[in-house]
């Protein structure tokens, strides 16, 4: 609980090997902003059939594996493991596990616009948080509410949900553990509400923590603030953000950065560069089946004169581009 992830990992590594210690090591790795490392540990336990013996521990393992896979962009696997965690928690009647599992399993459904799945999962996580006297349950539910609101483009609902993180008892625990993703959601909500000064301060607090996976979202949000406060430096900021995104396996965050940069170039009249970025982002969103984000990217492509076809096809060219291609 002190945020000393490296020391915690070393202690766990020195302990006699067992499934529950390995699962805890996976959670510590995820909290240290390393979803790739966490997925490797947790998926290894699932694959090798050495998952923890207690039902609650198995539920938490599967749910956090789903979270790691969601962050990385392996959404089909995340959806499968999340559904399994929810089912196991329901069958075993594990309230704590059910709250966490429903919250984490809602991320893919929300980001794919599968409202009929996402909404009851968020509701179940919220109900569990109400029934449990534990700050963590409230924060899992709050993050699930915020991700659902993000997919719907509802910044006011995002900000309202994330007020749970202002509770001193909860905030102290989160900051000691070092959890970061909620901070990018908070900055995005504040920016969407045009509360730029607050968003900037919140983003500085995140940047000071030297995030790894969260750095791609943080870089996109820094570009958005730069566009508002120093537009002459925005293009350079986007270039730096794209360089930072290289090698970070965060599919959704990278596609959203490419969309934002493409929109910026389009606004500045740099159509060719904008189209290249928007096409790449569109393909990433299409692979994830991230329908809400795909729709926003498609709107920008339409504005650039392109017409995205039905899923599975190549992006359509304008008549002028087809003539150039034939030449």
């Amino acid at each position: 609980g002190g945020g000393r992830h490296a020391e915690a990992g070393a202690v766990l590594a020195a302990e006699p090997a067992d499934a529950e210690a390995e699962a805890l090591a996976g959670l510590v790795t995820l909290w240290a902003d390393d979803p790739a490392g966490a997925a490797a540990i947790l998926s290894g336990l699932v694959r090798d059939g050495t998952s923890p013996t207690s039902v609650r521990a198995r539920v938490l393992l599967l749910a956090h594996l789903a979270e790691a896979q969601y962050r990385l962009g392996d959404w089909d696997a995340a959806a499968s493991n999340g559904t399994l965690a929810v089912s196991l928690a329901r069958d075993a009647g594990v309230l704590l596990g059910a709250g966490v599992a429903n919250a984490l399993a809602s991320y893919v459904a929300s980001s794919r616009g599968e409202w009929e799945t996402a909404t009851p999962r968020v509701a179940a996580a919220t109900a569990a948080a109400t029934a449990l006297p534990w700050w963590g349950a409230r924060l899992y539910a709050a993050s699930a509410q915020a991700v659902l609101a993000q997919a719907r483009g509802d910044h006011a609902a995002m900000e309202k949900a994330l007020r749970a993180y202002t509770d001193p008892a909860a905030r102290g625990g989160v900051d000691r553990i070092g959890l970061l993703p909620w901070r990018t959601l908070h900055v995005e909500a504040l920016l969407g509400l045009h509360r730029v000064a607050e968003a900037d301060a919140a983003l500085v607090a995140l940047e000071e923590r030297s995030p790894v996976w969260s750095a791609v979202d943080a870089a996109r949000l820094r570009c958005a603030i730069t566009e508002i406060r120093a537009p002459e430096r925005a293009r350079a900021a986007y270039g730096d953000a794209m360089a930072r995104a290289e090698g970070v396996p965060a599919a959704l965050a990278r596609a959203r950065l490419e969309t934002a940069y493409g929109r910026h170039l389009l606004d500045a009249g740099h159509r060719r560069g904008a189209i290249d970025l928007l096409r790449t982002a569109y393909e990433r969103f299409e692979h994830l089946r991230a329908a809400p984000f795909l729709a926003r990217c498609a709107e920008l492509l339409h504005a650039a004169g392109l017409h995205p076809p039905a899923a599975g096809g190549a992006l359509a060219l304008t008549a002028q581009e087809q003539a150039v291609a034939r030449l």
Side-chain angles (χ1 to χ4, degrees):
R4 292 148 59 187
H5 302 105
E7 291 181 45
V11 169
L12 288 168
E15 293 292 319
D18 64 59
E20 298 210 6
E22 280 289 308
L24 182 55
L27 266 61
V28 168
T29 304
L30 183 60
W31 294 337
D33 208 35
D34 180 9
I41 294 170
L42 299 176
S43 62
L45 289 171
V46 173
R47 183 181 58 250
D48 298 340
T50 56
S51 56
T53 53
S54 74
V55 173
R56 187 175 74 173
R58 288 202 300 275
V59 168
L60 295 177
L61 181 157
L62 288 165
H64 285 91
L65 174 57
E67 181 188 8
Q69 291 166 330
Y70 166 76
R71 295 200 211 174
L72 295 170
D74 190 2
W75 284 13
D76 288 341
S80 176
N81 285 314
T83 298
L84 183 56
V86 168
S87 177
L88 185 59
R90 182 183 62 244
D91 293 346
V94 182
L95 182 58
L96 171 60
V100 173
N102 275 284
L104 298 180
S106 73
Y107 290 174
V108 170
S110 293
S111 299
R112 282 180 165 169
E114 296 171 350
W115 314 127
E116 71 286 350
T117 300
T119 303
R121 285 183 176 172
V122 173
T126 304
T130 302
L132 288 168
W134 177 48
W135 58 265
R138 296 196 304 276
L139 298 189
Y140 277 107
S143 291
Q145 293 162 10
V147 171
L148 178 59
Q150 178 190 57
R152 287 176 164 160
D154 188 343
H155 296 106
M158 288 177 70
E159 191 276 335
K160 182 178 179 181
L162 294 169
R163 289 176 196 169
Y165 283 88
T166 64
D167 177 356
R171 184 67 169 270
V174 168
D175 286 344
R176 284 194 303 274
I177 293 173
L179 298 177
L180 298 176
W182 76 273
R183 292 178 178 273
T184 62
L185 292 167
H186 189 219
V187 175
E188 183 173 332
L190 293 172
L191 273 177
L193 296 173
H194 310 292
R195 292 159 58 177
V196 180
E198 292 174 74
D200 192 11
L203 183 55
V204 168
L206 170 61
E207 291 167 333
E208 288 174 347
R209 294 173 177 271
S210 302
V212 180
W213 174 84
S214 304
V216 180
D217 271 327
R220 171 178 57 83
L221 295 165
R222 175 54 63 198
C223 291
I225 293 174
T226 303
E227 283 193 77
I228 296 168
R229 292 190 158 178
E232 72 282 359
R233 297 205 299 268
R235 188 166 183 181
Y238 274 113
D240 291 343
M242 291 292 290
R244 176 169 290 191
E246 288 294 331
V248 179
L252 178 63
R254 179 148 187 176
R256 296 193 71 200
L257 171 61
E258 290 161 344
T259 301
Y261 191 10
R263 188 261 316 144
H264 172 73
L265 291 178
L266 197 60
D267 290 346
H270 301 291
R271 180 175 175 275
R272 183 70 267 165
I275 287 173
D276 289 343
L277 284 163
L278 292 170
R279 278 176 167 160
T280 301
Y282 187 93
E283 290 167 1
R284 292 189 202 277
F285 289 137
E286 191 174 41
H287 177 74
L288 293 171
R289 304 204 305 280
F293 303 98
L294 184 70
R296 293 165 202 166
C297 185
E299 289 174 4
L300 291 170
L301 283 164
H302 277 297
L306 271 71
H307 306 285
L315 287 172
L317 301 177
T318 63
Q320 183 180 7
E321 288 172 328
Q322 287 173 343
V324 171
R326 281 194 293 271
L327 289 172

